[in-house]
Amino acid sequence: MTKQSPSTWLQTLVLAVGLALLAAVPALVFAEAPKVDLARFDYGLRARALADGVYVVEGANDDFTVANGCNIINTGFITTGDGVVVINTGTSRRYGEQLRALIARTTAEPVVQVVQLNLHPDYFLGNQGFADVPRAATPVTRAGVAREAAAYETNLYRLCGDWMLGTETVAPDRDTPAAPPSGSVWKVGQRTFELREFSGHTASDLVLIDRTSGVAFVGGLVFVQRIPTTPHARIGPWLQSLDALDTLNLRTLVPSHGPVQTTPEAARDGIAQTRRFLHWIDQHFSRWAAQGWEMNEVLRAPVPAEFRDWAAFRTEYVRNVAHLYPAYERQVLAPATGAGSSR
């Protein structure tokens, strides 16, 4: 049995308690989820055209389960005239191989580049299907992959079972072009992409915008109708990043989790959903920490109906408490200890 660190043990305990408290909340079912074939380990991947040559491959708006193949991410690919750019490669070797086959069925162009938007496992554990292709991520994301990939593999084997057979990390092997928040231009074939690097969901949240179509792949900065994941989150920077994203007036927004937003109005609403949730977390966790609440009291506190109706609430909100609430408790103690804010 692997020895757990104190923080891991605490998060495991909070998760167990929280799941018991939230067990009565019904699970959500999304009709547009891929049709998974468990017997054949087939993810049922489909390419949905968002514009000429721009495709999204949608995952289930859910938490990791064996029933959905642990495919909960929206990946994508874009033809450029000189080859295909792939945005994220999914959760496993099987996913990466099936995504590569789907691309080959969709376009005659070869795959020439993979771009990884952040360090989370469903963004890169499909890289084995693209081991012969340049795989780019920001320097911060590359360092995060090197640091955490082994733990990701172990955790997803526990959650996803045989869907993960044969999955081993093939890390990104080069840096993306420099991508300040103000944006930089990256040309591939006949396409001009705009790259912007933000933070908050993780320490490096890359956004890729196809200037021709206006389709923006925004990674984990925006969650639509789903509780955000927060293992690397810092709420203050995340809210700042959402404000900056909102000023871009995006036409089509592809979140990594949740439905694609296909109009400017819908894109703004997707950003607003995540902003509302983070503001609620920040305000209430601050208040409860100041009042001396313990985690089990936080887990029993009422949560707005809007958020309770989002995908993965039963599991992900418990993780939110485990990941984020200790920082609010530390902030209350900061004047006495001299500690700084980690929010």
Side-chain angles (χ1 to χ4, degrees):
M1 181 176 179
T2 303
K3 185 178 180 181
Q4 293 181 317
S5 68
S7 62
T8 302
W9 177 87
L10 176 61
Q11 290 186 8
T12 301
L13 177 61
V14 172
L15 179 60
V17 173
L19 289 176
L21 290 170
L22 300 175
V25 179
L28 299 182
V29 177
F30 290 82
E32 297 302 317
K35 295 181 179 178
V36 173
D37 187 332
L38 285 167
R40 298 174 58 237
F41 293 106
D42 183 349
Y43 286 101
L45 303 182
R46 294 171 292 178
R48 174 186 169 195
L50 298 176
D52 185 23
V54 181
Y55 300 89
V56 63
V57 183
E58 293 162 293
N61 195 15
D62 202 349
D63 202 356
F64 290 126
T65 69
V66 172
N68 62 34
C70 284
N71 171 25
I72 63 172
I73 188 171
N74 300 325
T75 60
F77 60 95
I78 301 174
T79 62
T80 70
D82 285 354
V84 175
V85 173
V86 179
I87 301 101
N88 302 323
T89 61
T91 315
S92 68
R93 175 186 63 81
R94 295 181 193 272
Y95 184 104
E97 292 172 350
Q98 292 177 32
L99 177 60
R100 187 77 180 262
L102 173 65
I103 294 169
R105 294 195 301 271
T106 306
T107 175
E109 292 188 22
V111 176
V112 296
Q113 180 72 61
V114 168
V115 181
Q116 178 183 335
L117 300 185
N118 72 43
L119 62 79
H120 287 162
D122 41 352
Y123 288 63
F124 73 90
L125 281 179
N127 277 0
Q128 283 167 287
F130 301 88
D132 60 330
V133 176
R135 302 172 307 280
T138 68
V140 173
T141 289
R142 292 183 66 191
V145 169
R147 183 178 64 248
E148 305 205 27
Y152 288 155
E153 291 175 12
T154 299
N155 289 338
L156 285 184
Y157 268 99
R158 290 171 178 165
L159 291 168
C160 311
D162 286 349
W163 285 99
M164 299 297 296
L165 284 177
T167 299
E168 297 178 353
T169 295
V170 174
D173 62 354
R174 63 200 64 200
D175 294 341
T176 57
S182 58
S184 63
V185 171
W186 178 41
K187 293 186 177 181
V188 182
Q190 299 166 13
R191 296 273 183 183
T192 299
F193 299 110
E194 188 175 326
L195 296 178
R196 293 173 179 260
E197 185 182 8
F198 298 104
S199 67
H201 174 57
T202 71
S204 176
D205 295 300
L206 190 65
V207 169
L208 181 146
I209 304 170
D210 173 42
R211 284 189 169 177
T212 300
S213 66
V215 176
F217 289 83
V218 302
L221 285 174
V222 177
F223 285 70
V224 179
Q225 298 171 23
R226 190 192 189 279
I227 299 296
T229 58
T230 55
H232 301 95
R234 296 186 65 203
I235 301 301
W238 195 343
L239 287 167
Q240 293 171 7
S241 294
L242 291 174
D243 289 344
L245 203 61
D246 213 3
T247 67
L248 300 181
N249 297 315
L250 301 174
R251 283 186 268 168
T252 299
L253 182 150
V254 183
S256 286
H257 304 281
V260 176
Q261 306 297 88
T262 56
T263 67
E265 294 77 18
R268 286 194 295 272
D269 181 63
I271 294 169
Q273 285 184 29
T274 306
R275 184 189 289 115
R276 284 197 300 276
F277 180 79
L278 296 179
H279 273 306
W280 183 86
I281 286 279
D282 191 47
Q283 293 166 4
H284 287 77
F285 282 18
S286 292
R287 180 190 309 159
W288 294 334
Q291 293 172 351
W293 286 25
E294 297 180 350
M295 281 191 186
N296 62 344
E297 294 175 291
V298 173
L299 287 166
R300 288 197 296 266
V303 177
E306 176 189 15
F307 307 145
R308 292 178 69 88
D309 286 342
W310 287 356
F313 173 76
R314 291 191 300 167
T315 51
E316 206 65 73
Y317 178 67
V318 177
R319 297 185 190 115
N320 292 165
V321 175
H323 296 150
L324 300 175
Y325 192 64
Y328 289 86
E329 293 178 304
R330 289 193 297 271
Q331 184 66 19
V332 170
L333 297 174
T337 63
S341 173
S342 60
R343 305 205 308 266

